[in-house]
Amino acid sequence: MTVARWMRILVVASALTLCAQTAWAKRGNEAPEEEVEEEESEFRRDIRKLMELTGSKDIGMQVIEQMIGMFRQSYTHVPAEFWDEFIAAVDPDELVNLVVPIYERHLTHEDVKILIEFYSTPTGRKLIAAQPQIVEESMLAGQTWGTQLGEEVVRKLQEQGY
C-alpha cells in the first residue's frame, strides 16, 4: 500500500474519530438529547427535513463506501462478504443524529426554513443532484492537493536537513 493511500485512510479515520470525540465531549456524560426529549422540536424536525432534501445520509454513505473501497484494496485477503456485511450494518441515521445538533448550533430555525425553501426550487434540486459528483471530485482534488503539500513538506524538510 502506498504512503499516500495510508495517509488518506489516516485522515478519514482521524476525522471520523475527532467528530465522534467532539460530539461526546460536548454532550458530556449525559444521554443524547434525542433520548431525553419526549418529542423532537420543530426546529430539529426541519433540520432533518433539510438533511433529507439535500441527501446528507446518501453523501455520508458515499464517503463510507469510498473508505471501505480503500480498505478492500488494502486488505485483499478479506472476503467481499465481510465488507458487504459491514456496509449493510452501517446506519446512516446515526450520523444524522450526530449532525442535527451541529446544524442547530450554527443555524437559526429561520435559516433552515429558508434553506428548505431553496432546496425545493429547481436550482436547489439541481445542486442536490450534482452534489454527490461534486463531493467525489472535491475529495479527489483534496487528496491530490494534500499529497502535493505532503511531498512539498518532505522536500523542504530534506532541503533544510531535518
Side-chain angles (χ1 to χ4, degrees):
M1 178 181 320
T2 67
V3 172
R5 178 164 303 194
W6 275 112
M7 287 175 55
R8 280 185 237 131
I9 291 171
L10 180 61
V11 166
V12 170
S14 297
L16 290 172
T17 301
L18 180 61
C19 289
Q21 288 174 339
T22 302
W24 179 256
K26 289 194 182 280
R27 195 173 72 199
N29 292 328
E30 301 168 11
E33 287 183 36
E34 289 78 16
E35 292 175 10
V36 173
E37 295 179 2
E38 285 185 26
E39 189 174 311
E40 190 169 57
S41 71
E42 181 182 347
F43 185 17
R44 284 187 172 209
R45 284 192 304 271
D46 283 345
I47 291 170
R48 289 179 188 284
K49 181 177 182 178
L50 174 63
M51 293 179 73
E52 185 177 323
L53 270 172
T54 58
S56 295
K57 281 198 287 191
D58 296 335
I59 293 170
M61 284 305 295
Q62 178 184 2
V63 170
I64 295 297
E65 288 172 2
Q66 287 176 346
M67 185 179 71
I68 294 300
M70 292 189 313
F71 280 116
R72 282 182 196 254
Q73 292 174 359
S74 301
Y75 296 95
T76 55
H77 63 284
V78 176
E81 296 80 32
F82 172 85
W83 302 115
D84 295 341
E85 289 173 11
F86 184 88
I87 289 173
V90 172
D91 181 3
D93 286 327
E94 290 178 9
L95 177 60
V96 171
N97 292 337
L98 290 172
V99 173
V100 166
I102 296 169
Y103 275 69
E104 193 174 37
R105 280 193 300 275
H106 296 284
L107 299 172
T108 66
H109 194 179
E110 187 61 27
D111 294 332
V112 171
K113 288 178 180 180
I114 291 168
L115 287 167
I116 289 170
E117 188 176 324
F118 167 72
Y119 284 115
S120 298
T121 68
T123 302
R125 287 191 301 273
K126 181 178 181 179
L127 177 60
I128 291 166
Q131 200 70 25
Q133 194 63 33
I134 291 169
V135 168
E136 183 176 335
E137 290 177 30
S138 296
M139 286 177 62
L140 291 173
Q143 289 171 353
T144 300
W145 182 57
T147 300
Q148 290 169 348
L149 288 175
E151 290 169 355
E152 184 178 343
V153 166
V154 170
R155 183 182 53 76
K156 287 187 177 206
L157 287 169
Q158 289 173 342
E159 284 176 2
Q160 296 183 19
Y162 293 113

